[in-house]
Amino acid sequence: GEKGMAMDVPLFAAGSAQDHKGGEGRPQLLGLDEAFAGVDDQNISAMFELMGILGFDYIINSQALWGCYACVADLDIAEMHHPPNAPVVTILRYHWNGTQCTSEDGL
């Protein structure tokens, strides 16, 4: 976990520095694939807090990570769900408000 953080923290700082060159109103979007794999919950929370401090909006895909941490005040979550023997994939939507995760689909 610490090895992943040792790579991600400088990457986030460099990305933030480059984004700030764009001036006010610039989008500051970070896309991560399988973010924080192998990192423990405490350090994942610290990474989400750092992304918030640096002002990043982010799109993250993961098989296990939902991002429901107290330091994340507002988060929309989309889960791809493949029902058994179904020929389709369904998108289930959730919202994290900093304290509670609720279904946007009324499920």
Side-chain angles (χ1 to χ4, degrees), residues 85-101:
N85 301 317
V88 298
V89 173
T90 304
I91 306 299
L92 303 175
R93 298 184 186 281
Y94 302 90
H95 183 78
W96 170 253
N97 66 7
T99 57
Q100 182 178 13
C101 188

Side-chain angles (χ1 to χ4, degrees), residues 1-15 30 32-39 43 47 50 54 56:
E2 289 179 11
K3 187 176 182 181
M5 288 185 64
M7 292 184 332
D8 289 340
V9 170
L11 178 66
F12 292 169
L30 185 63
L32 299 170
D33 181 29
E34 287 300 325
F36 317 132
V39 178
N43 286 326
M47 297 304 283
L50 177 60
L54 294 173
F56 282 115

Side-chain angles (χ1 to χ4, degrees), residues 1-96:
E2 289 179 11
K3 187 176 182 181
M5 288 185 64
M7 292 184 332
D8 289 340
V9 170
L11 178 66
F12 292 169
S16 179
Q18 287 297 319
D19 283 342
H20 279 93
K21 290 180 181 179
E24 289 297 316
R26 84 258 173 240
Q28 204 166 352
L29 183 63
L30 185 63
L32 299 170
D33 181 29
E34 287 300 325
F36 317 132
V39 178
D40 63 62
D41 270 353
Q42 182 178 356
N43 286 326
I44 291 172
S45 179
M47 297 304 283
F48 273 105
E49 186 172 13
L50 177 60
M51 289 189 298
I53 290 168
L54 294 173
F56 282 115
D57 290 320
Y58 43 85
I59 298 172
I60 299 175
N61 74 332
S62 174
Q63 291 182 1
L65 180 64
W66 277 52
C68 299
Y69 293 89
C71 62
V72 178
D74 188 50
L75 182 65
D76 289 316
I77 302 163
E79 176 186 20
M80 295 177 70
H81 176 68
H82 182 243
N85 301 317
V88 298
V89 173
T90 304
I91 306 299
L92 303 175
R93 298 184 186 281
Y94 302 90
H95 183 78
W96 170 253

